[in-house]
Amino acid sequence: MGINVDFDDQYSHHHYQRVEIPPPKPFLKTLKSNVKETLFPDDPFRKFKNQPLSKKISLGFQYFVPILDWAPRYTLQLFKADIIAGITIASLAVPQGISYAGLANLPPVIGLYSSFVPPLIYAMLGSSKHLAIGNVAVPSLLISAMLGKVVNPHENPKLYLQLVFTATFFAGVFQASLGFLRLGFIVDFLSHATILGFMGGAATVVCLQQLKGILGLVHFTHQTDIVSVMTSIFTQIHQWRWESGVLGCCFLFFLLLTRYFSKMKPKFFWISAMAPLTSVILGSVLVYFTHAEKNGVEVIGHLKKGINPPSYSELAFSSKYLAIAIKTGVVTSIIALAEGIAVGRSFAILENYDIDGNKEMIAFGLMNIVGSCTSCYLTTGPFSRTAVNYNAGCKTTVSNIVMSIAVMITLLLLTPLFHYTPLVVLSSIIISAMLGIIDYNSAIHLWKVDKYDFLVCISSYIGVVFGSVEVGLIVAVAMSLLRILLFVARPKTFVLGKIPNSMTYRNIEQYSAASSVPGVLIIHIDSPIYFANASYLRERISRWIDEEEEKQRTSTEIELQYVILDMSAVGNIDTSGISMLEEVKRNADRRCLKVLLANPGGEVMKKLDKSNFIDKIGKEWIYLTIGEAVNACNYILHDCKFQSKRINSSVAPDDNV
């Protein structure tokens, strides 16, 4: 005799809170809300509410030009701290500027120009108190690698310089556009592992490139991969200059020793900060008195005096190489943004204040646009200079202004003093700085915590070292995007069990004490359901059901009758996802199983309602919590078992007769 179970009658004995469907919102209002959350997560308009027009205008100027906000509160005490920090980072900016300009195959004075104008622009527009502006090694190498392929900087230096200024201009335009359009989240697609591997690989390549200066080689490969560089070095053994090698190794040892000492004794940070300038002075004096330039030690030579000449007329908008200049600008701008914003945020966290990523992009963009018109090339906030600025006691961006003034004085009065500076000293300064970028401890940490992140990191590193900087960047971005796709297309699903003596349900693989509920399979879906993962989830849920039924066939437990889908982590669902749920329900119906939903969110409920899926599955099968869903299933199973026993006992006498 069949058993007819009326769920509504049974359900009336157990009243549960129904899962409500949010009230409908107009499409335009929903779209506006989504756009606001995407582009304005920090709600920059909050301070403008209920303010008079004059106050709104004042706040607007303060928002876009932060110096107007904090300058009225600036004190002499702050200035004393900033002037010390500014002079300290200026001592680092001069040798680094000259060194990194050489890395980009630019005249050394361009590096000094780039430490004069851009810091002034950032001081007015930047939101970080500690970021010190200047050239950086990796974008310098990128500029040389990408533009050097189409124009030889030694054979056609004027055109090469024009393309560098043009690339810097478009880098600034791209950065400022991201800031104005509130698209700063794009930079977040470069993960920490990606940047770690890319920067480490680029630093390795930069160090290898400096072997040219250390060994005193005149002819050297233009390729950046390790095979080409090592081939170029070992095929010219007969041209190695021992004078240059000894001088380079001595200064490199000195720089590394001072860094180690400052690291061990943080209060003596200034020793490491002054070491590059000290090396330049000592090297220049040594060459001047020994006439080492006549014995194979190359020197900088003449440096043009005077501040930045205008270069807006040098922007090569009509050049046939405009496309590669734009490409170089975009690629280098992304790397510069990622480094600058990451460094700014790191020090902001240490001092417990916030920086606005979009305002930083605007500041970076405008300083590079202005810089391209004043004989500067790409600048950002390098870690080494910022760390020195922070340790020197910097309080505001006035330290950038002080540094800029110090560089201006150098340009006006002191450039002749750098005539005898040996290039090998600059190579030693670059190698010393780059060794600090190769963060092997973080790579080891990635290996311990997340093997895939380590794979992304090491792939990026290998791509740069054995391919090129562009190849490494492409590999890094591709690996990061692949991980995103894997997260979206293959979301985690797992079976939940009940923790003893509680109403809590957790992953049975994670919690050994969690036990499955007889006759009920609880599956947690740990992702929004989209077209990219709908097919996978359908197959995975089907496999979970197959595995559960197979397990129960070999045990004495109640056979599987209910499948509860925990939707608490499903933030959204599209039409493909709804179709997937419909297929899961049809598949369950064929197996005589009942599908229940637990804790679906508001957005999910709205779409399930509009697609009529709620009517198909039944409102009574959608529960607020897993516990309520399990209780309902247990109630029905217990009631069915009780009715079955009662019916069997009532028909037994007739059977005996």
Side-chain angles (χ1 to χ4, degrees), residues 424-443:
V424 67
V425 170
L426 302 182
S427 295
S428 301
I429 291 171
I430 292 175
I431 292 175
S432 172
M434 291 303 98
L435 290 177
I437 293 179
I438 303 174
D439 192 355
Y440 58 88
N441 286 324
S442 293

Side-chain angles (χ1 to χ4, degrees), residues 128-162:
S128 171
K129 298 176 183 178
H130 300 95
L131 203 65
I133 299 303
N135 314 112
V136 278
V138 176
S140 298
L141 178 67
L142 271 170
I143 289 171
S144 174
M146 297 179 74
L147 295 181
K149 287 182 178 179
V150 295
V151 177
N152 190 309
H154 305 292
E155 295 175 1
N156 199 343
K158 184 177 180 181
L159 177 59
Y160 180 80
L161 188 59
Q162 289 175 343

Side-chain angles (χ1 to χ4, degrees), residues 189-457:
F189 281 94
L190 290 175
S191 66
H192 171 67
T194 300
I195 296 174
L196 182 67
F198 177 79
M199 297 293 282
T204 303
V205 168
V206 169
C207 290
L208 292 173
Q209 290 283 321
Q210 298 317 301
L211 293 177
K212 173 189 176 184
I214 296 290
L215 298 174
L217 297 176
V218 178
H219 303 289
F220 203 71
T221 179
H222 294 295
Q223 301 297 318
T224 59
D225 64 283
I226 188 172
V227 175
S228 299
V229 171
M230 299 311 291
T231 301
S232 181
I233 290 172
F234 286 104
T235 54
Q236 301 184 74
I237 294 179
H238 58 286
Q239 295 185 15
W240 291 7
R241 303 301 300 244
W242 69 267
E243 302 94 337
S244 181
V246 170
L247 195 62
C249 290
C250 289
F251 278 108
L252 180 58
F253 176 76
F254 169 70
L255 290 165
L256 294 177
L257 184 64
T258 56
R259 174 188 288 180
Y260 177 78
F261 180 76
S262 295
K263 192 174 182 181
M264 294 295 101
K265 306 284 186 180
K267 65 180 179 180
F268 293 108
F269 71 91
W270 53 270
I271 293 178
S272 177
M274 295 294 291
L277 186 59
T278 304
S279 299
V280 168
I281 295 172
L282 290 176
S284 300
V285 171
L286 184 65
V287 170
Y288 179 78
F289 284 107
T290 62
H291 301 288
E293 77 278 9
K294 297 178 181 178
N295 296 306
V297 177
E298 291 189 71
V299 296
I300 289 178
H302 175 69
L303 274 183
K304 184 180 176 183
K305 288 179 66 174
I307 60 174
N308 304 34
S311 58
Y312 50 82
S313 60
E314 300 293 320
L315 299 178
F317 295 131
S318 57
S319 171
K320 63 179 180 180
Y321 302 116
L322 180 62
I324 188 65
I326 295 174
K327 177 184 174 183
T328 303
V330 171
V331 171
T332 53
S333 71
I334 293 174
I335 299 301
L337 272 182
E339 180 173 359
I341 293 177
V343 171
R345 283 177 176 167
S346 300
F347 286 94
I349 290 171
L350 290 177
E351 289 297 308
N352 195 30
Y353 69 93
D354 296 321
I355 66 170
D356 188 326
N358 289 292
K359 280 201 284 190
E360 289 294 282
M361 291 179 183
I362 294 172
F364 288 160
L366 292 180
M367 77 182 185
N368 281 312
I369 291 173
V370 174
S372 69
C373 299
T374 53
S375 301
C376 305
Y377 81 105
L378 189 71
T379 53
T380 184
F383 178 81
S384 58
R385 202 176 299 188
T386 303
V388 170
N389 195 30
Y390 176 78
N391 288 325
C394 154
K395 299 299 181 184
T396 69
T397 55
V398 169
S399 62
N400 277 291
I401 298 176
V402 175
M403 177 189 70
S404 181
I405 294 172
V407 172
M408 179 190 71
I409 294 171
T410 301
L411 286 167
L412 290 173
L413 304 174
L414 305 179
T415 49
L417 300 179
F418 294 98
H419 182 280
Y420 290 99
T421 300
L423 297 183
V424 67
V425 170
L426 302 182
S427 295
S428 301
I429 291 171
I430 292 175
I431 292 175
S432 172
M434 291 303 98
L435 290 177
I437 293 179
I438 303 174
D439 192 355
Y440 58 88
N441 286 324
S442 293
I444 294 171
H445 178 71
L446 289 179
W447 171 258
K448 293 178 180 177
V449 176
D450 191 323
K451 298 297 190 291
Y452 191 91
D453 262 354
F454 176 80
L455 181 62
V456 170
C457 174

Side-chain angles (χ1 to χ4, degrees), residues 69 389 555:
D69 181 29
N389 195 30
S555 68

Side-chain angles (χ1 to χ4, degrees), residues 554-577:
T554 60
S555 68
T556 58
E557 293 182 358
I558 301 173
E559 65 180 14
L560 181 63
Q561 297 188 39
Y562 296 97
V563 177
I564 300 174
L565 300 181
D566 176 20
M567 309 280 281
S568 56
V570 182
N572 211 329
I573 190 170
D574 66 359
T575 52
S576 298

